[in-house]
Amino acid sequence: MSLLNDRIVESIATTGCYVGDSILDAALVIALRGRLLVLQARQGLVAAQVGRATSLTSTTELRGDSIAWLDENALAPAESRAMELINRLRAALNEALYIGAIDTECHYARYPIGAFYKTHLDRFGTHDLRVVSLIFYLNARWQDHHGGELLIHHQSNKSIERVQPRCGTMVAFLSARFPHEVLPATRPRLSLSGWMRRRALVGQ
Ligand code: OGA
Ligand code: MN
């Protein structure tokens, strides 16, 4: 098991949240970023939806990003490699914390200039199977004044953690526990997000 995975597991075990070095190396992040840009050029990104939202208007008031889900059966080489590394982390989390995550769903996200995602939980309703949320930033040369921070609300000590969406940084947290929001940025903001999911119980 990798030292970095150990650190992430330790942080999730103690605080429920990890912000730090990414399990995806620099070359991989560049390849994923390239893939997102190709998808965008081919109009492969679609306006994101929100579980609870009932109309298009209520969705766009909540979030302004466009997304593309990774298709498990048609992964580009960089995506296969990323899934391999994410699955290793999932195995480490399962082993240490018994979270029972059986797979990971991932999508690219692009926030145009000025777009945001208001405070939310990554679980919509009690039947949601998401256990761990992941975010990998794909933004080269991001400066603090570009904005676009992720704010993570730590309810246990009422603090707010601010994360710059810089490539090389990743975020992981227990999906049910941390309300979070994305602030508007002065340039397009790119990421790959993932959710580790547990198996549905009988009747769910
Ligand atoms: C999400 C999300 C945060 C970020 O996609 O659900 O909260 O920093 N993303 O991109
Ligand atoms: Mn979220």
Side-chain angles (χ1 to χ4, degrees):
M1 201 162 93
S2 82
L3 284 176
L4 184 51
N5 277 351
D6 285 348
R7 261 166 53 204
I8 297 169
V9 167
E10 170 72 14
S11 186
I12 301 239
T14 52
T15 66
C17 179
Y18 168 84
V19 178
D21 292 341
S22 178
I23 57 171
L24 311 183
D25 57 75
L28 190 48
V29 165
I30 290 168
L32 292 167
R33 175 189 167 79
R35 177 85 182 134
L36 198 172
L37 295 174
V38 166
L39 284 170
Q40 189 209 346
R42 292 185 188 155
Q43 333 253 282
L45 302 176
V46 295
Q49 299 294 310
V50 173
R52 279 164 308 197
T54 50
S55 73
L56 205 57
T57 343
S58 58
T59 297
T60 48
E61 280 163 15
L62 274 169
R63 68 188 292 188
D65 56 327
S66 289
I67 64 165
W69 289 98
L70 262 58
D71 176 357
E72 256 183 282
N73 301 310
L75 296 178
E79 294 164 350
S80 295
R81 177 69 184 142
M83 288 311 299
E84 211 175 286
L85 293 166
I86 290 170
N87 284 331
R88 274 188 216 162
L89 173 60
R90 182 168 58 79
L93 286 165
N94 279 337
E95 195 177 317
L97 306 176
Y98 309 107
I99 59 170
I102 55 165
D103 66 8
T104 310
E105 53 178 359
C106 291
H107 71 49
Y108 291 108
R110 179 182 185 276
Y111 289 74
I113 292 170
F116 51 79
Y117 194 162
K118 291 204 172 144
T119 307
H120 66 282
L121 280 173
D122 281 349
R123 274 203 176 179
F124 305 112
T126 47
H127 290 335
D128 201 297
L129 302 175
R130 292 170 167 183
V131 277
V132 171
S133 299
L134 303 166
I135 308 145
F136 302 96
Y137 295 113
L138 308 179
N139 304 297
R141 294 179 295 278
W142 194 269
Q143 307 281 319
D144 289 1
H145 68 265
H146 295 153
E149 288 168 307
L150 167 70
L151 305 190
I152 306 172
H153 299 260
H154 290 254
Q155 292 174 312
S156 54
N157 61 4
K158 298 199 161 45
S159 68
I160 295 178
E161 185 167 3
R162 307 180 79 95
V163 184
Q164 307 290 336
R166 256 188 263 289
C167 54
T169 298
M170 76 170 262
V171 175
F173 55 81
L174 296 173
S175 304
R177 288 238 308 253
F178 295 89
H180 54 283
E181 66 189 292
V182 176
L183 300 182
T186 57
R187 58 198 56 211
R189 177 188 189 277
L190 310 178
S191 62
L192 176 70
S193 294
W195 294 274
M196 294 181 185
R197 295 183 302 187
R198 63 174 173 77
R199 193 185 300 280
L201 300 175
V202 175
Q204 270 193 353

